[in-house]
Amino acid sequence: TAPITTPPPTVASHYLYEPVDAPPWPRGHSDAFAPSGVLADGTYFVVYNGGETLMPDITVYQVFTDTECETQAAAHGEECLNGYYVPSDPYRDINDLPFASGLFLSVAHGSTMQSYWITPEELVTIRASSPSGGAPSDYSFVPFPFMMTVVDGEITRFEQLWQP
């Protein structure tokens, strides 16, 4: 199926911690996923668990927004808080889906909500310790979820959402 959200075009070159537009939350829901096998082309709601520089370790969930948030949360006996709902099950752990060359990767600042472009190497660095030079002085990694776009078996976009 086609991605729920259409990501903006990738800019050919960025510098580390360049401010970029925040990714949009999906309308209605992120793409559903199969419990095993190849992850289909689509846009997914994921948690970044670490992993290798070019091969992240992620957990895929489905997120529901807008009116689907209310419906899905109620069906699970829960509430739609802050405009989104993420069921704890189903989920899928994946550690063999590579970042594509030319990947668009961004992280969110925990207090300002500003998004910044970074590299896969920097993502590994900031999750384990402090950011490299060029980062805002008050920036540190926050484990907010990411919107991940998959095309032809590779991650082409990995954009961290600011989460209330």
Side-chain angles (χ1 to χ4, degrees):
T1 61
I4 299 298
T5 58
T6 304
T10 301
V11 177
S13 63
H14 291 281
Y15 57 90
L16 202 55
Y17 290 100
E18 174 182 348
V20 294
D21 291 338
W25 280 79
R27 290 187 179 163
H29 61 272
S30 58
D31 287 332
F33 53 91
S36 62
V38 176
L39 194 62
D41 289 1
T43 302
Y44 302 94
F45 183 87
V46 303
V47 172
Y48 173 68
N49 304 315
E52 302 298 318
T53 299
L54 297 177
M55 192 78 67
D57 181 334
I58 56 173
T59 303
V60 183
Y61 296 92
Q62 191 168 28
V63 64
F64 297 93
T65 63
D66 306 321
T67 58
E68 289 187 46
C69 176
E70 299 289 341
T71 304
Q72 290 294 323
H76 289 92
E78 297 185 34
E79 293 182 56
C80 174
L81 300 174
N82 297 313
Y84 68 95
Y85 173 68
V86 181
S88 58
D89 193 40
Y91 66 89
R92 180 175 172 188
D93 291 323
I94 298 176
N95 62 7
D96 62 354
L97 188 64
F99 283 137
S101 62
L103 163 77
F104 186 91
L105 172 57
S106 68
V107 289
H109 191 291
S111 59
T112 67
M113 300 174 16
Q114 175 64 57
S115 289
Y116 297 98
W117 183 88
I118 64 167
T119 63
E121 294 82 8
E122 185 69 3
L123 181 61
V124 170
T125 298
I126 61 175
R127 187 173 183 280
S129 62
S130 300
S132 299
S137 60
D138 60 345
Y139 176 80
S140 62
F141 181 76
V142 179
F144 293 149
F146 287 78
M147 290 306 298
M148 175 182 79
T149 302
V150 174
V151 176
D152 295 331
E154 293 185 316
I155 302 166
T156 60
R157 296 184 78 82
F158 201 69
E159 300 172 273
Q160 193 173 37
L161 295 162
W162 186 86
Q163 186 176 21

